[in-house]
Amino acid sequence: MTLPTLTPDHALFLDIDGTLIDLAATPDAVTVPPGLPERLRQMQTRLGGALAILSGRKLADIDNLLGSGLPCAAEHGALLRDAAHNITHTAARPAEYGAWLKILNRYVAAMPGLLVEEKQFSLVLHYRRAPEHEAELRQLAEQLIAGSSDAILLPAHCAFEFKPRNGNKGDALAYFMTTPAFLNRIPIFIGDDTTDEPAIAAADRLGGHGLHVARNFGGSTDAVRDWLMTL
Ligand SMILES: [Mg+2]
C-alpha cells in the first residue's frame, strides 16, 4: 500500500512508543528525537487542531515526553483529554488492582530485570530485560486475569498489561472524530502494536487510513517522522 498524501484536511492520530519514538529497555529510558514536540505542535496548528496522541502511557508520561496539552487518549483510551483540556474517564480501575500489585511485586523482587509499571487504571509487567521468563510470566498473568470480570490481559512488546475491559484506542479515535476540531475530517492513525489494531480498524472504517509501522513504514520510526514532515 502506498502511503496517503498528508494534507491539512486530515485528522491525525499517533501512537508514541514504537511509532513516534523507538522502544527502549524500559518505558522511562526512551529518547525523544530533538524537535519532535515542537513539530507535533506545528502540525496540530496546520491541521486546525485535529491531532491527537493515542497511547498506552499515563497522561503525565505523555505530557513529559511530548510537552503538555495535546489532545490525547492515555492508558489505551481509559482516559481522554480533548482539545479544551476536558478529561473523561471511560473505564475504572479493576477491583483486583491492589492484590495483583502485591503479587507482581513479589516476582519483581525474585526475578532481576522485571519491572511493574503502575498506571491510574492498569498494571504493566515489563520483561524486556528478562525475556527468558516469558513463558512463566505468561502463565502467571493468565492465572491472575482468569478470576477478573472487569479486566483483560493485553500482551504487548515484552510486557503483559492488566487493563480495564472498557476503553480502547479505536473507541478513543471514534470519540475524537465527533469533537469540533476533528469533525468531517479524514482520519489517519499510525501505530505499531496489537493494542493499536482497534484504532487502525476505526480509521479505515471512518473513511480514512489505519497505518502500521511495520506494514507501512518498514518498521522504522524515522520513516514515520519523515512522512510527518511532508505535511
Ligand atoms: Mg506503540
Side-chain angles (χ1 to χ4, degrees):
M1 178 186 139
T2 51
L3 290 170
T5 302
L6 188 54
T7 60
D9 58 355
H10 281 119
L12 194 55
F13 299 91
L14 301 166
D15 170 52
I16 299 178
D17 295 271
T19 299
L20 284 176
I21 63 180
D22 284 325
L23 299 170
T26 67
D28 289 340
V30 295
T31 305
V32 178
L36 179 64
E38 295 74 15
R39 177 64 190 154
L40 292 174
R41 204 57 57 135
Q42 286 169 0
M43 294 188 70
Q44 190 196 16
T45 304
R46 286 290 312 276
L47 294 163
L51 184 150
I53 301 297
L54 309 185
S55 175
R57 284 185 180 263
K58 291 183 286 193
L59 185 62
D61 275 5
I62 296 172
D63 285 346
N64 282 338
L65 290 172
L66 301 181
S68 60
L70 286 170
C72 63
E75 303 201 21
H76 307 292
L79 186 155
L80 305 173
R81 180 176 65 196
D82 68 15
H85 290 199
N86 298 310
I87 289 180
T88 308
H89 294 169
T90 68
R93 182 181 271 201
E96 301 88 348
Y97 186 103
W100 288 340
L101 181 59
K102 271 191 201 142
I103 294 167
L104 295 177
N105 276 334
R106 283 208 297 271
Y107 275 78
V108 170
M111 287 181 182
L114 295 189
L115 172 75
V116 173
E117 183 185 356
E118 296 175 49
K119 303 193 205 176
Q120 187 174 344
F121 299 97
S122 304
L123 285 169
V124 194
L125 178 62
H126 294 274
Y127 59 91
R128 187 173 297 273
R129 292 177 300 177
E132 69 276 17
H133 295 306
E134 176 175 0
E136 185 180 349
L137 297 174
R138 182 183 300 275
Q139 206 173 18
L140 167 72
E142 284 172 354
Q143 246 168 38
L144 293 181
I145 208 75
S148 174
S149 57
D150 55 355
I152 57 170
L153 187 65
L154 204 63
H157 288 306
C158 294
F160 293 109
E161 176 150 1
F162 304 77
K163 73 173 284 296
R165 187 175 297 278
N166 293 337
N168 70 64
K169 290 187 182 187
D171 293 344
L173 187 150
Y175 157 78
F176 278 112
M177 288 302 289
T178 66
T179 64
F182 296 78
L183 209 59
N184 297 324
R185 287 172 171 270
I186 301 160
I188 295 181
F189 170 74
I190 314 174
D192 70 302
D193 208 345
T194 45
T195 60
D196 295 312
E197 297 297 345
I200 289 173
D204 286 336
R205 192 179 67 241
L206 295 170
H209 311 272
L211 303 176
H212 188 278
V213 179
R215 301 197 288 265
N216 302 106
F217 294 91
S220 159
T221 66
D222 280 323
V224 172
R225 292 191 303 272
D226 286 348
W227 182 77
L228 292 177
M229 293 302 288
T230 61
L231 177 67

